[in-house]
Amino acid sequence: MQLNEELVAANQELYLAKQKAEERDKLKSAFLANLSHEIRTPMNAILGFSDLLADKDISYEHRSEYVNIVQKSGKHLLGIINDLIDVSKIETGQVSPYYSEISLQTFLKDLYNTLSVTIPEDKTIDFSLELHDIDSSSKIISDEVKLRQIIINLVTNALKFTETGFVKIVCSYRDQSQLECKVIDSGVGIAEQYYSVIFDRFRQIEGDLAIKKGGSGLGLAISKAYAEMLGGTITVSSEIGKGSTFTLSIPCYNEYKKPKKHIKKSEHDENYFGNNETILVAEDDDINFYYLTKIMSKTNYKIIRALNGEEAVTIVKNNPDVKLVLMDIKMPKMNGYEATNIIRSLDASLPVIAQTAYALSDEQDKIRQTNFTDYISKPLKRDVLLSLIKKHINS
Ligand code: ADP
């Protein structure tokens, strides 16, 4: 009898595990189908319009329109890839928070201004920011990169699922120890049965709308994971046809770690010509290196290249003329972290600047913890790069 009971229980467990595995499998297939659509769309635009750009007879207006489309599609693609990497890193436990002091008013206003320009022209949405009891002296200790990404994800969704009406960000303190940011929209709304589902990875509300609006179903999963990492929560309340409210609540910690370095923004190009100083670029990818030589072409810096971390170390050892190293992170033989540690131990005064993929917040954390002098996000922007080089070569 007892053996029988044990067998029934084991059977039941196996059945549930099988169901779970099947469900996961179904989700993954749906995700892959969705993802291939999401990746193909911008990729086709990039290939199609760069083909058109190759025609030497096109007008100036058309050329700038096509360049614009190629750039937008590239950024879109990069966003999807970053989401995917973020999700896989969260899943494998490779992401941790990096705390610094945040000036709330400046942070929220900057974020609001950045998001304001993303509202599509064909939508009439009143987008606003309301701050309660938050002024220029309000500071919190949290992870700025993650907090920014959560709010961007919530507002991007609100703008995506609202055709007319409003989207508001409302921020206030709750009993001094919690910061509450609500993203409120007057959009399509979400049925209650989906409240928890939408925070799962790869999940969207089924139906034509999700297909029409695009998206990989990762934004809310990433936001929730980040909020929890910061000791907080995200909740949703909504009414179909009336709109939704997403509430992010995070504690305002008191502990303090060194704030991140800021990259100085653009100055005029004329200031950057350089004086024949040698810059070592450690970059394994030919196209990335070609791009870099192009954006550096009108300067007087001498560029030399290392194809991997090991080569970078050898060149630094044998070439005292190297005044600065621009270090890629992911390279064969020896990665950028290892190479930088060795180079810095050989010559602590030689500036080493990391090149990192934008928005990979945990990579940025790791870069801050490694012995880099500074870092720059990829895709590289000419004026930011030149300003960084100038800053470190002259200092
Ligand atoms: P994505 O937007 O890439 O599909 P998310 O994880 O950000 O992925 O969102 C999952 C789903 O939740 C969306 O596809 C949509 O169905 C629903 N959703 C999220 N935010 C809103 C909102 N503000 N209004 C209506 N539906 C929303």
Side-chain angles (χ1 to χ4, degrees):
M1 279 270 282
Q2 198 189 338
L3 197 64
N4 212 10
E5 267 171 33
E6 276 171 21
L7 273 174
V8 169
N11 228 350
Q12 178 76 0
E13 249 174 57
L14 274 176
Y15 176 72
L16 286 177
K18 181 171 166 269
Q19 258 192 335
K20 247 190 172 164
E22 279 171 0
E23 163 82 351
R24 212 172 294 149
D25 205 42
K26 242 170 65 190
L27 267 180
K28 286 224 166 102
S29 310
F31 168 70
L32 282 179
N34 186 17
L35 192 67
S36 70
H37 166 82
E38 280 295 309
I39 289 179
R40 263 172 228 267
T41 313
M43 207 58 228
N44 283 336
I46 291 171
L47 292 175
F49 283 97
S50 48
D51 222 20
L52 291 180
L53 273 171
D55 179 353
K56 61 180 183 344
D57 293 329
I58 52 172
S59 68
Y60 176 77
E61 285 76 27
H62 278 134
R63 187 179 302 275
S64 54
E65 186 194 345
Y66 299 164
V67 167
N68 204 357
I69 295 174
V70 170
Q71 283 184 338
K72 263 201 188 142
S73 306
K75 278 187 193 153
H76 183 179
L77 206 54
L78 197 59
I80 295 170
I81 292 166
N82 284 334
D83 273 1
L84 276 175
I85 295 175
D86 274 356
V87 158
S88 70
K89 290 203 164 166
I90 289 169
E91 276 188 6
T92 48
Q94 294 178 56
V95 189
S96 50
Y98 179 83
Y99 290 103
S100 68
E101 190 176 71
I102 307 170
S103 287
L104 266 185
Q105 195 184 43
T106 317
F107 167 74
L108 291 165
K109 281 191 176 167
D110 283 354
L111 195 51
Y112 167 76
N113 289 335
T114 311
L115 286 162
S116 304
V117 296
T118 66
I119 304 173
E121 275 167 15
D122 56 341
K123 287 194 177 184
T124 44
I125 295 175
D126 179 15
F127 180 43
S128 59
L129 171 70
E130 265 180 43
L131 302 181
H132 297 285
D133 299 324
I134 292 172
D135 57 26
S136 55
S137 65
S138 308
K139 308 237 189 301
I140 66 160
I141 308 285
S142 195
D143 184 319
E144 188 175 329
V145 177
K146 296 191 178 64
L147 192 56
R148 178 180 288 118
Q149 191 168 350
I150 298 171
I151 298 176
I152 288 177
N153 287 352
L154 296 181
V155 173
T156 308
N157 276 344
L159 293 170
K160 188 156 102 177
F161 293 100
T162 304
E163 287 307 316
T164 56
F166 65 85
V167 170
K168 286 200 270 197
I169 309 176
V170 183
C171 294
S172 60
Y173 284 110
R174 243 187 41 202
D175 61 44
Q176 295 303 310
S177 61
Q178 294 274 324
L179 175 75
E180 206 170 72
C181 287
K182 287 180 188 282
V183 177
I184 310 170
D185 68 57
S186 62
V188 292
I190 300 161
E192 201 171 341
Q193 82 228 48
Y194 291 114
Y195 282 5
S196 62
V197 171
I198 54 173
F199 289 101
D200 287 346
R201 284 167 296 129
F202 313 139
R203 292 294 289 266
Q204 297 176 305
I205 294 175
E206 282 144 35
D208 296 344
L209 192 68
I211 297 167
K212 205 174 107 202
K213 298 279 178 191
S216 53
L218 296 175
L220 285 177
I222 294 171
S223 304
K224 183 171 173 244
Y226 281 175
E228 285 169 0
M229 211 173 277
L230 302 179
T233 54
I234 300 184
T235 54
V236 60
S237 66
S238 179
E239 209 176 314
I240 287 283
K242 291 243 167 88
S244 315
T245 300
F246 283 84
T247 306
L248 165 71
S249 202
I250 53 158
C252 313
Y253 289 127
N254 293 321
E255 67 190 277
Y256 186 69
K257 290 187 187 168
K258 206 171 133 221
K260 72 172 195 184
K261 273 189 179 170
H262 286 286
I263 294 172
K264 214 171 126 212
K265 281 259 171 198
S266 67
E267 287 171 34
H268 289 296
D269 282 350
E270 283 73 21
N271 298 332
Y272 293 117
F273 280 120
N275 212 358
N276 215 23
E277 293 98 337
T278 303
I279 295 177
L280 170 64
V281 177
E283 173 63 78
D284 62 318
D285 185 280
D286 287 341
I287 292 181
N288 284 348
F289 182 72
Y290 179 65
Y291 173 68
L292 202 125
T293 55
K294 285 284 148 199
I295 59 178
M296 299 285 287
S297 63
K298 286 201 184 115
T299 68
N300 285 327
Y301 293 117
K302 199 171 134 200
I303 305 288
I304 54 176
R305 181 184 182 185
L307 288 165
N308 55 57
E310 219 171 74
E311 222 175 87
V313 172
T314 313
I315 292 176
V316 168
K317 267 188 196 158
N318 299 328
N319 193 339
D321 287 343
V322 174
K323 290 284 174 294
L324 183 139
V325 184
L326 200 58
M327 184 71 80
D328 188 24
I329 299 297
K330 212 168 159 279
M331 286 183 294
K333 288 198 181 160
M334 184 189 284
N335 67 30
Y337 299 116
E338 281 175 64
T340 301
N341 281 332
I342 301 175
I343 289 173
R344 302 283 296 188
S345 68
L346 292 171
D347 179 357
S349 64
L350 180 65
V352 183
I353 299 177
Q355 306 178 54
T356 169
Y358 180 65
L360 297 187
S361 40
D362 70 308
E363 197 174 80
Q364 290 192 2
D365 291 346
K366 207 163 162 200
I367 281 167
R368 285 186 204 110
Q369 285 151 18
T370 306
N371 219 354
F372 289 108
T373 317
D374 218 324
Y375 69 91
I376 182 164
S377 304
K378 276 183 178 174
L380 302 181
K381 295 253 178 341
R382 184 171 188 268
D383 54 353
V384 180
L385 176 66
L386 290 177
S387 140
L388 261 187
I389 291 175
K390 190 171 174 241
K391 177 174 147 192
H392 292 295
I393 280 194
N394 291 344
S395 61

